[in-house]
Amino acid sequence: DGGITQSPKYLFRKEGQNVTLSCEQNLNHDAMYWYRQDPGQGLRLIYYSQIVNDFQKGDIAEGYSVSREKKESFPLTVTSAQKNPTAFYLCASKAQGHQPQHFGDGTRLSIL
Amino acid sequence: AQSVTQLGSHVSVSEGALVLLRCNYSSSVPPYLFWYVQYPNQGLQLLLKYTTGATLVKGINGFEAEFKKSETSFHLTKPSAHMSDAAEYFCAVSDENTNAGKSTFGDGTTLTVKP
């Protein structure tokens, strides 16, 4: 079955540590997205990529970095510069055109 | 800039009662509208979408939504709530032409279904 796989499901970060969240899709979608979800705040866009080797900052990119070396993969690194990283992180992908986004099951990041 | 407003962060209904979740949008061009559902600790799943054509859109699990341009609304309804409908619901607008494939999401409405 086609879909989006996020791993790990739960992740703990120590102070000063960078951590990387994985997002893989086999839907052959060109566009991929990372969102941060905090209670009562909906989804906030961190980064997005419309094509391999290209990506753009979203609304809250500070303290995060991404890469898009393969169409299937869009990993997100939460750097030590992100002072409040505790949140639920969602990855999504989308086909071209006015199509809905397909979401993974998320990674919950907490601070140790 | 486009935006989405979901009126009511929490809605509570009794099992069997009508579900009505409100969504208003603003967009400078014809909008493409979506409703998603999120169960705890999961990602979002598409319930239904409006692109063009018929303004009454039917989705999964008995949900439907009506696009009303004059009211800039896209409210989600279900005639009879089921316990399994308890979840968080998000309305979203997508403007492919100007926002590079991005969507703007509302803040979500948590639906509680009482037995």
Side-chain angles (χ1 to χ4, degrees):
Chain A
D1 284 341
I4 298 184
T5 301
Q6 289 187 243
S7 62
K9 192 165 181 65
Y10 300 94
L11 187 58
F12 297 90
R13 194 191 87 169
K14 297 179 182 179
E15 194 169 338
Q17 185 182 44
N18 293 352
V19 292
T20 297
L21 284 60
S22 171
C23 178
E24 303 277 334
Q25 56 101 356
N26 61 4
L27 298 167
N28 200 34
H29 288 168
D30 287 312
M32 297 187 74
Y33 309 81
W34 274 106
Y35 295 93
R36 171 179 171 142
Q37 189 175 26
D38 295 280
Q41 293 195 35
L43 278 67
R44 292 186 289 169
L45 183 64
I46 305 172
Y47 269 98
Y48 65 103
S49 167
Q50 289 189 285
I51 197 168
V52 174
N53 293 323
D54 188 38
F55 49 83
Q56 288 77 40
K57 293 182 179 180
D59 302 317
I60 57 165
E62 186 174 351
Y64 300 96
S65 66
V66 294
S67 63
R68 187 86 187 275
E69 297 177 0
K70 298 186 300 181
K71 188 175 186 177
E72 302 79 21
S73 178
F74 192 40
L76 173 74
T77 296
V78 183
T79 75
S80 57
Q82 173 50 246
K83 298 306 180 187
N84 184 22
T86 298
F88 190 52
Y89 291 87
L90 286 165
C91 179
S93 71
K94 189 180 79 67
Q96 289 186 4
H98 299 282
Q99 299 300 324
Q101 294 185 15
H102 295 247
F103 286 82
D105 278 340
T107 292
R108 189 167 297 281
L109 176 61
S110 303
I111 297 294
L112 277 179
Chain B
Q2 56 194 31
S3 65
V4 175
T5 302
Q6 292 185 237
L7 298 174
S9 58
H10 291 84
V11 170
S12 180
V13 299
S14 297
E15 191 173 17
L18 172 71
V19 175
L20 171 60
L21 304 182
R22 299 178 188 274
C23 173
N24 287 88
Y25 69 91
S26 89
S27 176
S28 58
V29 295
Y32 295 83
L33 296 158
F34 308 91
W35 274 101
Y36 295 87
V37 61
Q38 183 182 32
Y39 298 100
N41 294 313
Q42 293 185 23
L44 280 67
Q45 303 171 35
L46 180 69
L47 272 178
L48 49 81
K49 64 179 180 180
Y50 170 78
T51 52
T52 57
T55 56
L56 182 63
V57 180
K58 295 188 183 299
I60 61 171
N61 301 338
F63 285 93
E64 62 183 33
E66 186 171 11
F67 170 62
K68 292 188 177 180
K69 184 178 178 180
S70 61
E71 299 178 9
T72 61
S73 69
F74 190 56
H75 302 332
L76 182 71
T77 60
K78 181 174 181 177
S80 176
H82 191 271
M83 297 297 290
S84 60
D85 295 326
E88 189 159 21
Y89 291 81
F90 291 93
C91 181
V93 60
S94 170
D95 180 1
E96 185 76 10
N97 294 329
T98 63
N99 285 322
K102 294 189 295 182
S103 290
T104 300
F105 289 82
D107 287 340
T109 297
T110 300
L111 176 65
T112 301
V113 182
K114 299 175 291 185

